[in-house]
């Protein structure tokens, strides 16, 4: 039996959570709309703006560009760096093109080293935001394998070696980026929805996407995880024969894990921590956050906890999705 919570403590916690909700126009959220690289509110948008998309091959640059095009941006793929300045001048002076998005990537070759100095000149002419997309090596290798497309640098080398070379070549761009997006856990639709939500005019500050994910420690900690919580201290349903072949999504497994006092206290404490942290991440311009919960196999406890945390954060007004890396399909 879970011990009853002190009413005064519970009321104070709810009040604290309410003050942190992104739906309210508090100072943290308001400040985040003016942070470098974060979209401006409808009342503070620049008249003309340029978004430059860069990043690793296979990280989703084409999908991101399409998302901006759907938002009404004039879209250009693979513009040579020598043409960035004249293109920016065109946008700055144009009556018809007030918002533009373009891709600059490793196809530029060694000329990409000039990007930081060119960017400084661009920002003298109009508001410019640089978005850099990246993903884990495992995710990129899987995508190249699925699409069967060659890596731009991979004609003479293995794909893994080409990915590492590309990271080094693009370091000058990554170092000056305003927004870094790790797309390892995104599919095409989620990435486009994320871009559209963050850059859509009239954004209300809910640009942060939280991924509540589960994993099994026997397969390693997810590389993309920002926060990791070990839930192996909870009783393991795997040792209950009737639960062994079920997952943490099954109502009977959920009821089993939920009935323990330590489960309820852990969920309350983690929820309070996240409600404290998320507004600060938003204020700092963070666009996504991966919160990972791990158990031994990634089938029961971590799945149940990840799903419950999603429900609690969604109830507070945050955009949350779940993923279960090691849960049986």
């Amino acid at each position: 039996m879970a011990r009853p919570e002190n009413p005064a403590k519970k009321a104070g916690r709810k009040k604290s959570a309410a003050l942190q909700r992104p739906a309210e126009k508090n100072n943290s959220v308001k400040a985040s709309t003016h942070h470098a690289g974060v979209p401006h509110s409808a009342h503070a948008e620049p008249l003309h703006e340029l978004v430059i998309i860069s990043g690793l091959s296979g990280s989703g640059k084409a999908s991101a560009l399409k998302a901006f095009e759907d938002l009404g941006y004039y879209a250009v793929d693979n513009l040579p760096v020598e043409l960035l300045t004249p293109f920016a001048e065109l946008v700055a002076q144009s009556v018809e093109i007030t918002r533009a998005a373009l891709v600059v990537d490793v196809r530029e070759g060694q000329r990409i080293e000039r990007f930081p100095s060119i960017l400084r000149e661009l920002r003298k002419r109009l508001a410019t935001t640089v978005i850099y997309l990246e993903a884990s090596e495992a995710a990129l290798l899987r995508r190249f394998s699925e699409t069967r497309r060659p890596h731009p640098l991979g004609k003479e080398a293995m794909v893994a070696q080409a990915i590492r070379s590309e990271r080094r070549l693009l370091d000058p761009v990554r170092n000056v980026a305003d927004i870094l997006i790790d797309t390892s856990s995104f599919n095409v639709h989620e990435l486009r929805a994320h871009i559209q939500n963050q850059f859509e005019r009239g954004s209300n500050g809910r640009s942060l996407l939280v991924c509540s994910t589960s994993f099994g420690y026997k397969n390693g900690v997810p590389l993309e995880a920002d926060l990791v919580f070990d839930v192996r201290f909870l009783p393991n349903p795997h040792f209950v024969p009737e639960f062994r072949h079920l997952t943490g999504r099954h109502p009977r497994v959920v009821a089993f894990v939920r009935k323990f006092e330590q489960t309820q206290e852990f969920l309350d404490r983690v929820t309070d921590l996240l409600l404290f942290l998320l507004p600060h991440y938003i204020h700092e311009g963070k666009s996504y956050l991966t919160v990972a919960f791990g158990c031994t196999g990634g089938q029961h406890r971590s799945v149940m906890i990840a799903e419950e945390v999603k429900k609690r954060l969604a109830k507070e007004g945050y955009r949350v999705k779940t993923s279960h890396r090691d849960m049986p399909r």
Side-chain angles (χ1 to χ4, degrees):
M1 295 292 290
R3 66 171 181 268
E5 187 176 4
N6 185 302
K9 178 183 177 182
K10 185 175 182 180
R13 179 168 58 82
K14 288 186 175 180
K15 180 179 179 182
S16 175
L19 290 174
Q20 302 287 352
R21 293 176 187 173
E24 297 182 12
K25 296 181 179 179
N26 55 37
N27 291 335
S28 295
V29 172
K30 184 176 181 181
S32 72
T33 63
H34 295 281
H35 190 276
V38 179
H40 296 266
S41 67
H43 299 291
E45 291 178 308
L47 183 60
H48 294 76
E49 60 176 316
L50 175 65
V51 174
I52 300 176
I53 304 166
S54 189
L56 301 175
S57 302
S59 62
K61 298 188 298 294
S63 297
L65 184 64
K66 182 62 178 176
F68 279 104
E69 188 174 19
D70 292 343
L71 289 172
Y73 285 72
Y74 185 88
V76 180
D77 187 20
N78 196 27
L79 187 71
V81 291
E82 290 87 351
L83 298 180
L84 286 177
T85 300
F87 182 77
E89 292 176 349
L90 173 65
V91 175
Q93 299 171 11
S94 175
V95 176
E96 297 179 351
I97 304 175
T98 59
R99 299 191 297 168
L102 56 88
V103 172
V104 174
D105 57 28
V106 78
R107 289 172 288 182
E108 288 293 301
Q110 296 297 328
R111 292 175 298 179
I112 200 70
E113 296 177 357
R114 298 180 52 207
F115 181 80
S117 60
I118 294 175
L119 179 63
R120 287 192 292 270
E121 294 301 316
L122 293 181
R123 286 178 165 157
K124 296 177 182 178
R125 292 168 170 79
L126 79 166
T128 304
T129 300
V130 178
I131 301 175
Y132 188 90
L133 304 182
E134 58 188 359
S136 68
E137 185 171 308
L140 294 174
L141 288 172
R142 184 182 69 251
R143 291 170 188 174
F144 277 106
S145 175
E146 291 171 351
T147 61
R148 299 183 180 180
R149 295 189 62 187
H151 191 281
L153 302 179
K155 296 179 181 179
E156 301 286 335
M158 300 295 289
V159 174
Q161 182 180 344
I163 291 172
R164 294 170 197 145
S165 297
E166 185 179 26
R167 286 189 194 275
R168 290 192 296 270
L169 286 170
L170 290 177
D171 258 350
V173 181
R174 189 183 190 277
N175 291 338
V176 296
D178 300 298
I179 299 176
L180 301 176
I181 302 178
D182 187 325
T183 67
S184 300
S185 60
F186 283 5
N187 60 36
V188 171
H189 306 292
E190 290 170 338
L191 175 58
R192 290 180 63 174
H194 176 67
I195 293 291
Q196 290 173 343
N197 181 279
Q198 186 168 358
F199 282 83
E200 190 172 18
R201 291 187 183 275
S203 172
N204 63 359
R206 299 186 190 184
S207 59
L208 179 71
L209 174 63
V210 181
C211 178
S212 179
T213 188
S214 68
F215 71 94
Y217 273 98
K218 68 179 184 180
N219 296 320
V221 177
L223 295 177
E224 67 273 16
D226 295 298
L227 301 173
V228 178
F229 296 93
D230 186 345
V231 299
R232 288 176 292 183
F233 68 93
L234 298 174
N236 194 349
H238 176 78
F239 297 113
V240 181
E242 60 187 295
F243 297 154
R244 183 164 299 176
H245 300 294
L246 302 178
T247 73
R249 281 179 164 175
H250 195 283
R252 293 170 62 193
V253 176
V254 171
F256 174 82
V257 178
R258 191 192 300 275
K259 72 179 181 180
F260 298 101
E261 180 179 349
Q262 58 265 43
T263 302
Q264 295 300 321
E265 184 166 354
F266 174 77
L267 285 168
D268 288 343
R269 288 174 180 266
V270 166
T271 301
D272 285 344
L273 175 63
L274 292 174
L275 291 178
F276 165 75
L277 291 174
L278 293 181
H280 295 288
Y281 283 129
I282 292 174
H283 176 74
E284 290 302 315
K286 194 168 182 63
S287 57
Y288 66 95
L289 183 77
T290 300
V291 184
F293 300 93
C295 61
T296 304
Q299 179 174 338
H300 297 108
R301 295 165 290 180
S302 60
V303 173
M304 179 271 179
I305 294 295
E307 291 287 343
E308 180 62 25
V309 168
K310 174 191 175 181
K311 293 176 184 177
R312 292 185 176 211
L313 294 182
K315 187 177 180 181
E316 297 295 333
Y318 288 95
R319 294 191 306 126
V320 193
K321 70 167 188 171
T322 55
S323 67
H324 304 293
R325 190 190 71 180
D326 301 321
M327 184 182 75
R329 304 299 179 187

